């Protein structure tokens, strides 16, 4: 069978050997739980609790603040300590609800659920919205909004992003193997919203066991199939994935729905199942703890709000004091200033490394080798865009299609001059997008 892909991309050491064979372990928190009010794209959630309130697991503690927003639910039972500024995984301080875990995990009583076939489109969407589900691969876009395009009848592809192309992360890999039925059920829910669509599980071909298991699971599902992708970074980037599967191209001014596609991450689809089929809100997720400085790397099912420090402890702690901590993948994740930050809805992994290779790199002059152009999945010229960004030439940057950058970091990875291309381009891109919104 053919392998699907896109032009460009790189092949870094995937590092998945550290944790891919470690089954998911449930981890219960020891200390307080911290819930950022902004764990998604859009308006921060509005607190519904105050200091001294007792809450139950599954209780909504912050409500969506508008259409593009998402509620937050308690992942434990306990007492609200207050509303405080705490570090987020990205290193910024943000408003958070802090709950002291009482250890009893007393849960709210959930409403009875209807069979999927008896639910209306709005009932399904409401379930997903009220459960607080967002894009859990890292983007954090509220899923109810994503599943509500203006013309749903034009959606013909629902793509499950099973690529997990970022090095080291194996959370989705373990989910595909251990929660196959829940993943298929989540796809079934989404397909019920789009009668003209087919569901495709797009998996990189280095995950042959996942491909076999998914193909067996969908053998009796006429609207679902499994497609193999070339193992390459950034195969899981939304634009590249859509092109690989459908050969339809989108740019920065378009949404996947504009070309008849909707893309959802593995963890997102599994939680859609829990919301619609079981009536449970989003209160936990799987996180990979890995890197060459973790004593016993693994994959952990954890309550949202648990500290990254507790995950590191559960994975055996550090071998030596790490030079670098990363939330997410090494290509598109965030360097962490502290491990004392909570797991959020978009937290796929925490990585610890003995050496900070980026900090040790010495930048030299561009030699015009064009390696950055060769690997760029957006087919732009990173070296020139970085020059424009450093000169603060926003007009020139936009004219040279700088907004089309997906900030994957492939250019920085291959640059022999060790230029911080992604950082320069990403900074100018954010400025240009902000100014475009103002206009």
């Amino acid at each position: 069978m053919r392998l699907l892909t896109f032009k460009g991309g790189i092949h870094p050491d995937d590092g998945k050997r550290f944790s891919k064979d470690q089954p998911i372990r449930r981890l219960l928190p020891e200390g307080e739980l911290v819930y950022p009010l902004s764990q998604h794209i859009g308006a921060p959630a509005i607190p519904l609790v105050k200091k001294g309130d007792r809450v139950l697991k599954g209780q909504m503690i912050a409500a969506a603040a508008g259409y593009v927003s998402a509620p937050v639910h308690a992942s434990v039972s306990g007492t609200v300590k207050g509303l405080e500024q705490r570090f987020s995984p990205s290193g910024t301080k943000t408003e958070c609800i802090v709950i002291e875990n009482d250890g009893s995990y007393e849960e709210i009583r959930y409403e009875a659920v209807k069979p999927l076939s008896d639910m209306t489109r709005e009932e399904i969407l409401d379930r997903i919205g009220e459960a607080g589900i967002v894009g859990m691969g890292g983007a954090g876009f509220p899923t109810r909004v994503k599943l509500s395009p203006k013309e749903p009848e034009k959606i013909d592809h629902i793509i499950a992003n099973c690529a997990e192309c970022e090095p080291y992360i194996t959370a989705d890999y373990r989910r595909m193997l251990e929660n196959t039925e829940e993943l298929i059920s989540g796809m079934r829910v989404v397909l019920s919203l789009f009668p003209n669509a087919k569901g495709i599980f797009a998996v990189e071909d280095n995950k042959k066991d996942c491909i076999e298991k998914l193909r067996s699971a969908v053998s009796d599902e006429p609207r679902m199939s499994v497609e193999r992708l070339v193992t390459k970074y950034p195969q899981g980037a939304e634009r590249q994935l859509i092109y690989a599967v459908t050969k339809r191209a989108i740019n920065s001014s378009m949404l996947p729905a504009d070309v008849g596609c909707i893309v959802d991450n593995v963890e997102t689809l599994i939680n859609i199942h829990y919301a619609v089929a079981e009536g449970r809100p989003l209160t936990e997720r799987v996180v990979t703890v890995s890197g060459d400085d973790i004593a016993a790397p693994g994959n952990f099912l954890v309550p949202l709000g648990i500290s990254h420090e507790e995950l590191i402890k559960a994975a055996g702690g550090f071998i030596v004091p790490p030079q670098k901590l990363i939330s997410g993948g090494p290509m598109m994740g965030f360097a962490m200033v502290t491990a004392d930050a909570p797991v959020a809805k978009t937290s796929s992994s925490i990585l610890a490394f003995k050496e900070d290779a980026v900090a040790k790199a010495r930048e030299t002059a561009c030699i015009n080798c064009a390696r950055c152009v060769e690997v760029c999945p957006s087919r732009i010229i990173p070296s020139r865009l970085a020059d424009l960004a450093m000169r603060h030439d926003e007009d020139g940057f936009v004219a040279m299609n700088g907004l089309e950058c997906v900030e994957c970091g492939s250019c920085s990875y291959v640059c022999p001059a060790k230029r911080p291309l992604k950082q320069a381009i990403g900074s100018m891109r954010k400025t240009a997008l902000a100014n475009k919104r103002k206009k």
Side-chain angles (χ1 to χ4, degrees), residues 127-142:
R127 283 275 187 189
I128 292 168
E130 290 165 7
I133 299 173
V134 302
M136 298 175 74
F141 192 78

Side-chain angles (χ1 to χ4, degrees), residues 20-21 173 177 206-214:
K20 76 180 187 69
D21 296 324
Y173 171 77
L177 290 178
N206 64 346
K207 304 174 183 68
K208 292 180 171 56
D209 44 359
C210 293
I211 291 171
E212 291 175 7
K213 190 160 189 183
L214 284 168

